[in-house]
Amino acid sequence: MVNFKKGGEHITVEEVDDENPIFKEDRNRLSQDLRSRHLQMIAICGVFGTGIFLSSGTVYSLTGAGGCFLAYALVAVVVGINQIAIAEVAALMPTSSAVVRHLEHFVDPAMGFAYGWILWWGASMPGEISAAAVIVSYWTDINGAAWISIIIVLSFASNAYSMRVYGEIEFFFAILKLSLLLGLIIVSIIITSGGGPNHEAIGFRYWRDPDAFLPFLTTGSLGRFAAFWKSLSSVVYSYGGVQSVPTLASEVRYPRRSVFKACKRIFFRVTILMILAAFSLTLIVSPEDKNITSGSGNAKSSPFVVAIKNAGIPALPHIVNAVVLTSAFSAGNNNVVQGTRCLFAMAVKGQAPKIFLKTTKRGIPLNALLLVTLFMPLAFMSVSESAANVFNWFQNLTSSNLLLGWILIGLNHVSMHRAMWAQGYTRADLPHTFPGGQYSGYVSGVISLILLLTGGFTNFVHGHFAIASFFSSYFVIPLTLVLFLFWKFFKKTKYLRPEDVDLNSLFMDVQRNPEPLEEPLRGWRLLTLLWN
């Protein structure tokens, strides 16, 4: 018999197993080599990939300064609320590939199966590898296939040895990325103020000329709104890796505390830096500059690099391109990790072959890693003359997958709370909570659903239908339905009613595995706030 708290009262239940079956495979097969600093920096590496550095020029040229800033700010709010939802659920149930396992536990095993394979498919799309190969073309004319091959080998090697090695690599790349972002923000202020070699003070010129909100499809207010709404898909792509923190919950020391803290701090850091970066680029280059939409896919089309060149600052564009290359590589690495852990998580519940449960002595899901690696050569598609188009196609597919994930994160959060209320638990029983967090699942889920359903709205405007755009925007919806119904009928799964969700095992595990309070930061350790 085991005693634990429920709704503020002590209750006694019969203990069936000495080891909680929900966490058994995760704790026995995976290592806990990661630290909190690794977890947070891995998320930063995943977010600040090619999106803000390269794709932001496309958003800016479409919407203008005001529209670009609002687009990044709106998605930042949605992402932040979504982070609250996933943090509260993952702190209660810190498992590998969190969202997939949460769906299986709180909603319906068929939904976990459907999203698991979609998440794996999205992680296997080598968009960042394609981007990295194109980025190298800034310096050399050597065929991109050679660089893709090198990147695939390096990506496999960095994931195959141990999570500690992977964590240290990503930590180093994240430091470079943060340094670049802060440097670009400072340089933008200097250029805007007239501190560049040409001493031209720009001020808020590009918020006035051209107009701060540019039209698309039609004129007037409707055209400005259409441009703003169309840009959101590209902006969603820029925030992609922010939800990757709970994926590695089983491989970090003190997972409940670490995941919750990482989600909270990553939200603020990523949101503030992304909005500042978006605001900075609206100050230093015109949205009408043709170079930011050249489609080169490397630093030549980065709005920051274009502005730096226009200001007459030498050498800096090469530094920007080099750090952007590490950004693309680390974001690709993040996808590999998500893909392998997703296969492992599904294998735990019998939704993928058991061979994907095999791990090395250092806790790496080797067979899952090999399968994800087999799909990396899809990046060779970008070697053709339409390299930028291939990258854009990957980007649109990824954006719709991300939105589906945000919707399901909200669904998990809502389902967890419905089960708690039905079974007599309160939010005070949760290991970690945000003030007002009980509404985060509803708000982020509904907004993400609207963004998904309207992401390809241009295809419904007369004369603007494009099969590639329509497919990449909406393919994830019928795919989810087909996978869900397949597993539903094949395994005859049932939607979990609130009273049927197994909460006792989760709350019992919280009390059986207490985590020590974090020591307050004092003295020189205050410096670790920069990365921890």
Side-chain angles (χ1 to χ4, degrees):
M1 306 298 286
V2 179
N3 294 309
F4 71 103
K5 285 186 177 181
K6 177 179 180 180
E9 300 179 358
H10 287 276
I11 66 171
T12 303
V13 297
E14 183 177 354
E15 185 174 20
V16 179
D17 195 342
D18 288 338
E19 189 167 17
N20 194 319
I22 297 173
F23 304 98
K24 183 176 180 179
E25 296 289 357
D26 297 66
R27 292 171 179 170
N28 290 345
R29 294 178 180 271
L30 301 175
S31 67
Q32 291 188 327
D33 288 339
L34 293 178
R35 301 296 180 264
S36 179
R37 65 182 178 89
H38 294 137
L39 204 62
Q40 297 185 55
M41 287 307 202
I42 286 170
I44 287 178
C45 276
V47 174
F48 295 121
T50 55
I52 186 61
F53 295 121
L54 300 182
S55 302
S56 54
T58 303
V59 173
Y60 183 39
S61 65
L62 174 66
T63 63
C68 178
F69 178 75
L70 284 180
Y72 277 94
L74 172 64
V75 179
V77 171
V78 177
V79 167
I81 298 173
N82 202 250
Q83 280 288 99
I84 293 173
I86 195 172
E88 291 190 346
V89 181
L92 176 64
M93 186 176 171
T95 57
S96 182
S97 197
V99 181
V100 177
R101 295 283 299 279
H102 296 164
L103 286 168
E104 186 271 339
H105 193 86
F106 294 108
V107 184
D108 189 322
M111 185 56 71
F113 172 84
Y115 182 62
W117 282 106
I118 288 173
L119 183 63
W120 173 81
W121 164 59
S124 300
M125 290 293 101
E128 297 292 350
I129 295 177
S130 300
V134 177
I135 290 168
V136 177
S137 67
Y138 184 75
W139 295 300
T140 179
D141 293 330
I142 295 177
N143 192 294
W147 302 114
I148 289 174
S149 301
I150 293 172
I151 293 168
I152 289 175
V153 172
L154 291 176
S155 183
F156 176 81
S158 63
N159 280 275
Y161 185 67
S162 75
M163 284 305 293
R164 187 63 179 266
V165 171
Y166 168 80
E168 295 297 349
I169 292 173
E170 294 303 292
F171 184 84
F172 173 72
F173 283 161
I175 294 294
L176 289 179
K177 247 184 252 193
L178 290 177
S179 300
L180 175 62
L181 271 173
L182 292 174
L184 289 176
I185 292 170
I186 294 171
V187 168
S188 299
I189 295 173
I190 293 172
I191 293 175
T192 302
S193 305
N198 58 13
H199 301 294
E200 180 185 8
I202 300 174
F204 283 82
R205 177 187 306 172
Y206 303 123
W207 281 70
R208 299 187 301 268
D209 183 24
D211 193 81
F213 294 88
L214 300 179
F216 175 68
L217 292 178
T218 185
T219 58
S221 299
L222 181 60
R224 295 186 184 94
F225 178 78
F228 163 74
W229 203 257
K230 177 175 170 54
S231 71
L232 292 178
S233 178
S234 294
V235 176
V236 166
Y237 175 82
S238 297
Y239 284 90
V242 76
Q243 67 187 43
S244 63
V245 170
T247 299
L248 299 172
S250 296
E251 297 172 79
V252 64
R253 183 180 295 180
Y254 308 133
R256 303 182 198 281
R257 185 185 77 191
S258 297
V259 167
F260 186 82
K261 183 177 72 172
C263 289
K264 180 171 65 175
R265 291 185 176 177
I266 283 298
F267 159 58
F268 289 112
R269 290 170 183 170
V270 168
T271 300
I272 292 171
L273 282 174
M274 194 75 84
I275 292 177
L276 282 177
F279 178 68
S280 297
L281 77 87
T282 66
L283 298 176
I284 57 179
V285 65
S286 171
E288 295 180 331
D289 193 315
K290 301 300 182 184
N291 291 317
I292 66 176
T293 56
S294 65
S296 65
N298 55 40
K300 292 178 183 177
S301 60
S302 168
F304 294 103
V305 170
V306 172
I308 291 169
K309 283 186 174 181
N310 292 344
I313 304 175
L316 197 53
H318 293 280
I319 297 174
V320 173
N321 199 64
V323 179
V324 171
L325 177 60
T326 67
S327 299
F329 176 75
S330 63
N333 252 358
N334 185 280
N335 286 341
V336 173
V337 167
Q338 288 200 56
T340 55
R341 273 54 185 183
C342 182
L343 281 175
F344 175 88
M346 289 190 294
V348 168
K349 304 305 297 182
Q351 297 171 344
K354 292 294 183 182
I355 59 172
F356 296 124
L357 284 176
K358 178 179 174 59
T359 57
T360 66
K361 63 180 181 180
R362 297 183 182 274
I364 300 297
L366 183 59
N367 290 335
L369 174 61
L370 289 172
L371 183 61
V372 172
T373 305
L374 286 177
F375 282 81
M376 290 184 187
L378 286 174
F380 287 114
M381 292 169 60
S382 66
V383 176
S384 67
E385 294 181 357
S386 58
N389 291 333
V390 172
F391 172 62
N392 289 334
W393 190 66
F394 280 141
Q395 175 178 302
N396 290 335
L397 284 171
T398 302
S399 295
S400 57
N401 288 358
L402 287 170
L403 287 170
L404 174 66
W406 297 353
I407 294 167
L408 296 179
I409 287 171
L411 178 62
N412 283 329
H413 190 261
V414 171
S415 299
M416 180 187 75
H417 277 82
R418 291 182 65 219
M420 287 171 57
W421 295 328
Q423 298 181 35
Y425 290 96
T426 68
R427 282 179 57 80
D429 295 316
L430 291 172
H432 299 283
T433 58
F434 282 92
Q438 62 268 35
Y439 307 110
S440 60
Y442 291 102
V443 176
S444 63
V446 170
I447 297 177
S448 298
L449 177 61
I450 293 172
L451 291 176
L452 177 62
L453 295 178
T454 60
F457 77 93
T458 56
N459 291 283
F460 301 100
V461 177
H462 181 69
H464 289 81
F465 179 81
I467 186 63
S469 171
F470 183 83
F471 177 85
S472 60
S473 298
Y474 296 114
F475 176 66
V476 71
I477 297 175
L479 178 61
T480 303
L481 185 61
V482 169
L483 290 172
F484 173 79
L485 292 176
F486 165 74
W487 201 250
K488 190 79 173 170
F489 289 112
F490 180 65
K491 288 291 186 178
K492 295 181 173 53
T493 65
K494 294 182 179 180
Y495 170 75
L496 295 172
R497 297 179 301 172
E499 55 270 22
D500 294 333
V501 175
D502 180 12
L503 291 179
N504 286 351
S505 296
L506 297 179
F507 284 103
M508 188 189 307
D509 189 80
V510 171
Q511 298 190 41
R512 288 186 59 188
N513 295 279
E515 297 180 355
L517 295 176
E518 190 170 21
E519 296 181 7
L521 297 178
R522 296 188 180 93
W524 69 269
R525 294 183 70 239
L526 287 171
L527 293 175
T528 62
L529 282 173
L530 295 173
W531 61 78
N532 196 12

Short mmCIF file of all heavy atoms in Angstrom, two decimals, residues 305-346:
data_model
loop_
_atom_site.label_atom_id
_atom_site.label_comp_id
_atom_site.label_asym_id
_atom_site.label_seq_id
_atom_site.Cartn_x
_atom_site.Cartn_y
_atom_site.Cartn_z
N VAL A 305 22.72 40.69 -43.65
CA VAL A 305 23.92 40.81 -44.46
C VAL A 305 23.76 41.90 -45.52
O VAL A 305 24.68 42.67 -45.78
CB VAL A 305 24.26 39.46 -45.12
CG1 VAL A 305 25.36 39.61 -46.16
CG2 VAL A 305 24.68 38.44 -44.06
N VAL A 306 22.59 41.97 -46.13
CA VAL A 306 22.33 43.01 -47.13
C VAL A 306 22.49 44.39 -46.50
O VAL A 306 23.12 45.29 -47.09
CB VAL A 306 20.91 42.85 -47.73
CG1 VAL A 306 20.56 44.04 -48.60
CG2 VAL A 306 20.81 41.55 -48.53
N ALA A 307 21.95 44.56 -45.30
CA ALA A 307 22.06 45.85 -44.63
C ALA A 307 23.50 46.18 -44.27
O ALA A 307 23.94 47.33 -44.40
CB ALA A 307 21.20 45.85 -43.36
N ILE A 308 24.25 45.17 -43.82
CA ILE A 308 25.66 45.38 -43.45
C ILE A 308 26.47 45.78 -44.68
O ILE A 308 27.32 46.68 -44.63
CB ILE A 308 26.22 44.10 -42.80
CG1 ILE A 308 25.58 43.89 -41.43
CG2 ILE A 308 27.73 44.19 -42.67
CD1 ILE A 308 25.85 42.54 -40.82
N LYS A 309 26.21 45.13 -45.82
CA LYS A 309 26.89 45.49 -47.05
C LYS A 309 26.52 46.91 -47.49
O LYS A 309 27.38 47.69 -47.93
CB LYS A 309 26.55 44.49 -48.16
CG LYS A 309 27.28 43.17 -48.05
CD LYS A 309 27.00 42.30 -49.27
CE LYS A 309 27.84 41.05 -49.25
NZ LYS A 309 27.59 40.19 -50.45
N ASN A 310 25.24 47.23 -47.40
CA ASN A 310 24.79 48.57 -47.79
C ASN A 310 25.46 49.66 -46.94
O ASN A 310 25.68 50.77 -47.40
CB ASN A 310 23.28 48.70 -47.68
CG ASN A 310 22.54 47.84 -48.71
OD1 ASN A 310 23.13 47.39 -49.69
ND2 ASN A 310 21.26 47.61 -48.48
N ALA A 311 25.74 49.30 -45.67
CA ALA A 311 26.38 50.26 -44.77
C ALA A 311 27.88 50.34 -44.97
O ALA A 311 28.54 51.19 -44.37
CB ALA A 311 26.06 49.90 -43.33
N GLY A 312 28.43 49.45 -45.81
CA GLY A 312 29.86 49.49 -46.11
C GLY A 312 30.74 48.85 -45.07
O GLY A 312 31.91 49.23 -44.92
N ILE A 313 30.21 47.86 -44.33
CA ILE A 313 31.01 47.17 -43.30
C ILE A 313 31.59 45.89 -43.90
O ILE A 313 30.84 44.97 -44.24
CB ILE A 313 30.15 46.84 -42.07
CG1 ILE A 313 29.51 48.11 -41.51
CG2 ILE A 313 31.00 46.16 -41.00
CD1 ILE A 313 28.56 47.86 -40.36
N PRO A 314 32.91 45.76 -44.04
CA PRO A 314 33.51 44.57 -44.66
C PRO A 314 33.64 43.41 -43.67
O PRO A 314 33.54 43.61 -42.45
CB PRO A 314 34.90 45.08 -45.07
CG PRO A 314 35.22 46.14 -44.05
CD PRO A 314 33.91 46.79 -43.70
N ALA A 315 33.86 42.22 -44.19
CA ALA A 315 34.18 41.00 -43.42
C ALA A 315 33.00 40.44 -42.63
O ALA A 315 32.83 39.22 -42.55
CB ALA A 315 35.36 41.22 -42.47
N LEU A 316 32.18 41.29 -42.04
CA LEU A 316 31.09 40.81 -41.19
C LEU A 316 30.13 39.84 -41.90
O LEU A 316 29.66 38.89 -41.28
CB LEU A 316 30.32 41.99 -40.61
CG LEU A 316 29.41 41.71 -39.40
CD1 LEU A 316 30.17 41.00 -38.30
CD2 LEU A 316 28.79 43.00 -38.88
N PRO A 317 29.82 40.05 -43.18
CA PRO A 317 28.94 39.08 -43.85
C PRO A 317 29.46 37.65 -43.81
O PRO A 317 28.68 36.71 -43.69
CB PRO A 317 28.88 39.61 -45.29
CG PRO A 317 29.07 41.08 -45.14
CD PRO A 317 30.06 41.24 -44.03
N HIS A 318 30.78 37.47 -43.88
CA HIS A 318 31.35 36.12 -43.82
C HIS A 318 31.15 35.51 -42.43
O HIS A 318 30.88 34.30 -42.30
CB HIS A 318 32.84 36.17 -44.16
CG HIS A 318 33.13 36.54 -45.58
ND1 HIS A 318 33.03 35.65 -46.62
CD2 HIS A 318 33.46 37.74 -46.13
CE1 HIS A 318 33.32 36.26 -47.77
NE2 HIS A 318 33.58 37.53 -47.50
N ILE A 319 31.27 36.33 -41.39
CA ILE A 319 31.06 35.84 -40.03
C ILE A 319 29.60 35.43 -39.85
O ILE A 319 29.30 34.38 -39.27
CB ILE A 319 31.44 36.93 -39.02
CG1 ILE A 319 32.93 37.26 -39.13
CG2 ILE A 319 31.09 36.50 -37.60
CD1 ILE A 319 33.38 38.41 -38.27
N VAL A 320 28.69 36.26 -40.36
CA VAL A 320 27.26 35.94 -40.27
C VAL A 320 26.97 34.62 -40.96
O VAL A 320 26.28 33.74 -40.41
CB VAL A 320 26.41 37.07 -40.86
CG1 VAL A 320 24.94 36.65 -40.92
CG2 VAL A 320 26.57 38.35 -40.06
N ASN A 321 27.49 34.44 -42.16
CA ASN A 321 27.23 33.21 -42.91
C ASN A 321 27.78 31.99 -42.19
O ASN A 321 27.17 30.92 -42.18
CB ASN A 321 27.82 33.30 -44.32
CG ASN A 321 27.21 32.30 -45.27
OD1 ASN A 321 26.02 32.37 -45.57
ND2 ASN A 321 28.01 31.37 -45.76
N ALA A 322 28.94 32.14 -41.54
CA ALA A 322 29.55 31.02 -40.83
C ALA A 322 28.68 30.59 -39.65
O ALA A 322 28.45 29.39 -39.43
CB ALA A 322 30.94 31.41 -40.34
N VAL A 323 28.18 31.56 -38.88
CA VAL A 323 27.35 31.21 -37.73
C VAL A 323 25.99 30.69 -38.18
O VAL A 323 25.43 29.78 -37.56
CB VAL A 323 27.18 32.43 -36.80
CG1 VAL A 323 26.30 32.06 -35.60
CG2 VAL A 323 28.54 32.92 -36.31
N VAL A 324 25.46 31.24 -39.28
CA VAL A 324 24.21 30.72 -39.82
C VAL A 324 24.38 29.27 -40.24
O VAL A 324 23.47 28.44 -40.09
CB VAL A 324 23.73 31.58 -41.01
CG1 VAL A 324 22.55 30.91 -41.72
CG2 VAL A 324 23.31 32.96 -40.53
N LEU A 325 25.56 28.92 -40.76
CA LEU A 325 25.84 27.53 -41.12
C LEU A 325 25.77 26.63 -39.90
O LEU A 325 25.16 25.55 -39.95
CB LEU A 325 27.22 27.44 -41.78
CG LEU A 325 27.69 26.03 -42.16
CD1 LEU A 325 26.74 25.38 -43.15
CD2 LEU A 325 29.11 26.09 -42.73
N THR A 326 26.37 27.05 -38.79
CA THR A 326 26.28 26.24 -37.56
C THR A 326 24.84 26.17 -37.07
O THR A 326 24.42 25.15 -36.51
CB THR A 326 27.17 26.82 -36.44
OG1 THR A 326 26.66 28.09 -36.01
CG2 THR A 326 28.60 26.99 -36.92
N SER A 327 24.08 27.24 -37.31
CA SER A 327 22.67 27.25 -36.90
C SER A 327 21.88 26.18 -37.66
O SER A 327 21.08 25.45 -37.08
CB SER A 327 22.05 28.63 -37.16
OG SER A 327 22.72 29.62 -36.43
N ALA A 328 22.10 26.13 -38.97
CA ALA A 328 21.40 25.15 -39.79
C ALA A 328 21.80 23.73 -39.39
O ALA A 328 20.96 22.83 -39.30
CB ALA A 328 21.69 25.39 -41.27
N PHE A 329 23.10 23.53 -39.14
CA PHE A 329 23.57 22.20 -38.76
C PHE A 329 22.97 21.76 -37.43
O PHE A 329 22.50 20.63 -37.29
CB PHE A 329 25.10 22.20 -38.67
CG PHE A 329 25.67 20.89 -38.18
CD1 PHE A 329 25.71 19.79 -39.01
CD2 PHE A 329 26.15 20.78 -36.89
CE1 PHE A 329 26.24 18.58 -38.56
CE2 PHE A 329 26.66 19.58 -36.43
CZ PHE A 329 26.72 18.48 -37.27
N SER A 330 22.96 22.66 -36.43
CA SER A 330 22.44 22.28 -35.12
C SER A 330 20.93 22.08 -35.15
O SER A 330 20.40 21.22 -34.45
CB SER A 330 22.82 23.34 -34.08
OG SER A 330 22.23 24.58 -34.39
N ALA A 331 20.22 22.88 -35.97
CA ALA A 331 18.78 22.68 -36.09
C ALA A 331 18.49 21.32 -36.74
O ALA A 331 17.54 20.63 -36.37
CB ALA A 331 18.16 23.80 -36.91
N GLY A 332 19.32 20.94 -37.72
CA GLY A 332 19.19 19.61 -38.32
C GLY A 332 19.47 18.52 -37.31
O GLY A 332 18.80 17.48 -37.28
N ASN A 333 20.47 18.73 -36.46
CA ASN A 333 20.78 17.79 -35.39
C ASN A 333 19.60 17.63 -34.44
O ASN A 333 19.30 16.53 -33.97
CB ASN A 333 21.99 18.31 -34.59
CG ASN A 333 23.24 17.49 -34.87
OD1 ASN A 333 23.21 16.52 -35.61
ND2 ASN A 333 24.33 17.88 -34.26
N ASN A 334 18.94 18.73 -34.15
CA ASN A 334 17.77 18.70 -33.28
C ASN A 334 16.68 17.83 -33.88
O ASN A 334 16.01 17.07 -33.16
CB ASN A 334 17.27 20.14 -33.08
CG ASN A 334 16.14 20.23 -32.08
OD1 ASN A 334 14.99 19.97 -32.41
ND2 ASN A 334 16.45 20.61 -30.86
N ASN A 335 16.51 17.90 -35.19
CA ASN A 335 15.51 17.05 -35.85
C ASN A 335 15.86 15.58 -35.72
O ASN A 335 14.98 14.73 -35.54
CB ASN A 335 15.40 17.43 -37.33
CG ASN A 335 14.67 18.74 -37.54
OD1 ASN A 335 13.95 19.20 -36.67
ND2 ASN A 335 14.85 19.35 -38.69
N VAL A 336 17.15 15.27 -35.84
CA VAL A 336 17.58 13.88 -35.72
C VAL A 336 17.25 13.34 -34.33
O VAL A 336 16.74 12.22 -34.17
CB VAL A 336 19.09 13.75 -36.00
CG1 VAL A 336 19.59 12.34 -35.70
CG2 VAL A 336 19.40 14.11 -37.45
N VAL A 337 17.53 14.13 -33.31
CA VAL A 337 17.24 13.72 -31.93
C VAL A 337 15.75 13.50 -31.75
O VAL A 337 15.31 12.49 -31.16
CB VAL A 337 17.76 14.79 -30.94
CG1 VAL A 337 17.19 14.54 -29.55
CG2 VAL A 337 19.27 14.76 -30.89
N GLN A 338 14.94 14.43 -32.26
CA GLN A 338 13.49 14.28 -32.12
C GLN A 338 12.99 13.03 -32.84
O GLN A 338 12.12 12.31 -32.33
CB GLN A 338 12.78 15.51 -32.67
CG GLN A 338 12.93 16.75 -31.80
CD GLN A 338 11.85 17.77 -32.09
OE1 GLN A 338 10.66 17.50 -32.01
NE2 GLN A 338 12.27 18.97 -32.44
N GLY A 339 13.51 12.78 -34.03
CA GLY A 339 13.08 11.61 -34.80
C GLY A 339 13.42 10.30 -34.10
O GLY A 339 12.59 9.38 -34.05
N THR A 340 14.63 10.21 -33.55
CA THR A 340 15.04 8.97 -32.90
C THR A 340 14.26 8.74 -31.61
O THR A 340 13.82 7.61 -31.32
CB THR A 340 16.55 8.99 -32.58
OG1 THR A 340 16.86 10.16 -31.81
CG2 THR A 340 17.36 9.03 -33.86
N ARG A 341 14.04 9.80 -30.82
CA ARG A 341 13.30 9.63 -29.57
C ARG A 341 11.83 9.36 -29.83
O ARG A 341 11.16 8.68 -29.04
CB ARG A 341 13.45 10.88 -28.69
CG ARG A 341 14.67 10.86 -27.78
CD ARG A 341 15.91 10.61 -28.53
NE ARG A 341 17.11 10.48 -27.70
CZ ARG A 341 18.31 10.32 -28.24
NH1 ARG A 341 18.47 10.23 -29.55
NH2 ARG A 341 19.36 10.20 -27.46
N CYS A 342 11.32 9.87 -30.93
CA CYS A 342 9.93 9.60 -31.28
C CYS A 342 9.74 8.11 -31.59
O CYS A 342 8.78 7.49 -31.13
CB CYS A 342 9.54 10.46 -32.47
SG CYS A 342 7.83 10.27 -32.97
N LEU A 343 10.64 7.53 -32.35
CA LEU A 343 10.56 6.10 -32.66
C LEU A 343 10.68 5.27 -31.38
O LEU A 343 9.98 4.27 -31.20
CB LEU A 343 11.66 5.71 -33.65
CG LEU A 343 11.41 6.06 -35.12
CD1 LEU A 343 12.64 5.71 -35.95
CD2 LEU A 343 10.20 5.31 -35.65
N PHE A 344 11.60 5.68 -30.50
CA PHE A 344 11.76 4.96 -29.23
C PHE A 344 10.47 5.02 -28.42
O PHE A 344 10.01 4.00 -27.88
CB PHE A 344 12.92 5.59 -28.44
CG PHE A 344 13.10 4.99 -27.07
CD1 PHE A 344 13.89 3.87 -26.89
CD2 PHE A 344 12.48 5.55 -25.96
CE1 PHE A 344 14.06 3.30 -25.62
CE2 PHE A 344 12.63 4.99 -24.69
CZ PHE A 344 13.42 3.87 -24.53
N ALA A 345 9.87 6.21 -28.33
CA ALA A 345 8.65 6.38 -27.53
C ALA A 345 7.51 5.54 -28.08
O ALA A 345 6.74 4.94 -27.32
CB ALA A 345 8.25 7.85 -27.50
N MET A 346 7.37 5.48 -29.41
CA MET A 346 6.31 4.67 -29.99
C MET A 346 6.56 3.18 -29.80
O MET A 346 5.63 2.39 -29.61
CB MET A 346 6.14 5.01 -31.46
CG MET A 346 5.54 6.39 -31.70
SD MET A 346 5.09 6.67 -33.43
CE MET A 346 6.72 6.67 -34.18
#
